[in-house]
Amino acid sequence: MAEALHVRGVLLPDDEVRDVWLVGDRVTFEPVPGATTLVDGGFILPGLVDAHCHIGIARGGTPITSVAQAKRLAVLDREAGVLAIRDAGSPIPYPELDGDPDVPRLVRAGRHVAPVKRYLRDIGLEVPAERVAEAVAEQAAAGTGWVKLVGDWLDRGRGDLGPAWDDATLAAAVEAAHAAGARVTAHTFGEEAVATLVRAGIDCVEHGTGLSPEIIEEMARRGTALVPTMINIQTFGEIADRAREKFPGYAKHMLALRDGFPALVGAAHGAGVPIYVGTDAGGGIDHGLAVEEMLLLREHAGLGVEEVLAAASWGAREWLGVPGLVEGGLADLTVYDEDPRVDLRALRNPRHLVLRGRPR
Ligand SMILES: [Zn+2]
């Protein structure tokens, strides 16, 4: 039998002190005789989740040059208490990291499916409208359950944000992902592409700064998730500054989107849209900031403390299909000295991390 570990503490979101046993990579609440007690006391989560993270994009926005580099980035997240990552698009594949004992649980999209010559250089698979459905099917096979679209980006001809492709192509992309058995999400900043994609049945929206009250209602009705990446939206001022000379209308639009965003996320939450914590680490944003994103959701968007905890741990894990502290769940947990419900900052200092049944 695999070595068993025993952990005792307050199992959030409940107030009760409970005993948990980890046998190999599984959780059980049935006592295991002879188990080694790792922890007695503290507050226990199934680890944090970064639901929008890029371990394939290096600082500065260039593709990583080795799988070892992706692993180093993932370890930065792990050290901050993140034990599951939804990788929201990578220019290079690393299926060998899926079961790596050092790497948080990975749920991966393949390469971003992006419009031609508009998206970040060398990151996306750039395809014209007529090849989008085919590219989506390929990337569904390259990932582990998700496809990532670039739904809109700066359209230089317009001098403003514009959809990546026409409405019929966006809808066909969603359909192609579902036909391939994958869930599909999209980067969207503007108002148009997100409306088309939500109506077409997309599973999740990344950023979503251009959501209207009507589309928020539609997401709530359909159960479409939102990963707001509030850390990313705070960089819109820099994007606007760089673009203002050539594209003043775009710069102005980005600032308006930024300024309206915290209230918009609050409205989506109030309407019943499922919200998950994602940092958009990789490129311009550092790894290991999941707790900071949680603080923004709490303080700027007005989510309740337990709602933020769910959005960053047990709720997100269930959504991603990597169940945590339930009978038969995966043997991941983090333990904190202080109750994060009193102050989320307690999450900055995990006292213990256990990943795949192994203390780290
Ligand atoms: Zn991203």
Side-chain angles (χ1 to χ4, degrees):
M1 200 178 92
E3 200 194 335
L5 292 173
H6 165 236
V7 173
R8 177 183 291 137
V10 175
L11 204 59
L12 296 169
D14 299 328
D15 281 318
E16 249 180 290
V17 173
R18 292 189 69 185
D19 294 287
V20 183
W21 287 267
L22 308 176
V23 182
D25 194 14
R26 293 289 155 183
V27 170
T28 182
F29 295 96
E30 294 291 322
V32 178
T36 307
T37 298
L38 178 72
V39 181
D40 189 351
F43 297 84
I44 305 173
L45 287 177
L48 302 181
V49 176
D50 190 339
H52 185 140
C53 185
H54 303 280
I55 64 170
I57 304 177
R59 195 94 180 106
T62 55
I64 52 160
T65 52
S66 69
V67 172
Q69 191 181 0
K71 186 166 166 169
R72 281 197 295 277
L73 296 174
V75 168
L76 293 176
D77 292 304
R78 186 194 79 200
E79 285 169 352
V82 169
L83 302 185
I85 286 172
R86 185 178 58 140
D87 192 307
S90 171
I92 72 155
Y94 26 75
E96 56 269 60
L97 295 184
D98 289 345
D100 190 297
D102 296 327
V103 172
R105 311 279 171 186
L106 273 185
V107 179
R108 294 182 293 108
R111 254 185 118 168
H112 303 67
V113 178
V116 176
K117 290 199 160 84
R118 280 174 58 191
Y119 189 53
L120 302 167
R121 225 174 121 184
D122 300 330
I123 298 296
L125 180 64
E126 301 184 3
V127 288
E130 63 271 20
R131 281 214 51 231
V132 167
E134 182 193 338
V136 163
E138 282 167 19
Q139 295 313 306
T144 58
W146 283 88
V147 170
K148 172 72 176 290
L149 306 173
V150 175
D152 57 24
W153 201 255
L154 172 63
D155 179 334
R156 292 180 192 81
R158 269 188 183 197
D160 201 347
L161 291 165
W165 307 281
D166 59 276
D167 285 351
T169 301
L170 290 168
V174 172
E175 199 180 317
H178 290 164
R183 285 190 277 180
V184 54
T185 191
H187 163 105
T188 71
F189 284 165
E191 294 82 356
E192 296 152 81
V194 73
T196 304
L197 289 163
V198 168
R199 291 193 182 109
I202 198 163
D203 300 283
C204 182
V205 168
E206 309 301 310
H207 322 303
T209 39
L211 287 169
S212 66
E214 188 194 344
I215 297 303
I216 285 173
E217 282 306 321
E218 184 77 11
M219 289 175 74
R221 194 176 65 74
R222 292 172 169 272
T224 315
L226 174 64
V227 179
T229 69
M230 297 189 74
I231 290 174
N232 174 316
I233 285 36
Q234 289 187 329
T235 70
F236 278 19
E238 293 148 47
I239 297 175
D241 287 346
R242 284 196 299 271
R244 188 166 290 109
E245 199 176 323
K246 272 189 177 168
F247 304 108
Y250 168 70
K252 199 173 161 203
H253 193 183
M254 292 298 279
L255 293 182
L257 292 173
R258 178 195 66 186
D259 294 344
F261 197 55
L264 189 156
V265 175
H269 173 66
V273 173
I275 289 175
Y276 298 105
V277 167
T279 65
D280 210 359
I285 292 163
D286 286 338
H287 287 264
L289 297 179
V291 177
E292 309 319 306
E293 178 73 14
M294 294 173 76
L295 289 166
L296 291 174
L297 285 169
R298 175 84 185 97
E299 290 164 10
H300 294 191
L303 273 71
V305 69
E306 286 205 11
E307 293 163 341
V308 174
L309 283 167
S313 62
W314 61 85
R317 288 191 66 118
E318 192 187 335
W319 177 59
L320 293 177
V322 285
L325 293 169
V326 292
E327 184 67 35
L330 297 166
D332 302 336
L333 57 83
T334 45
V335 185
Y336 307 91
D337 285 327
E338 307 293 333
D339 188 343
R341 293 172 298 187
V342 175
D343 188 343
L344 287 169
R345 289 168 188 80
L347 300 171
R348 285 177 179 157
N349 303 300
R351 178 153 55 98
H352 292 280
L353 301 176
V354 179
L355 176 62
R356 301 172 200 268
R358 292 166 52 165
R360 310 300 316 199

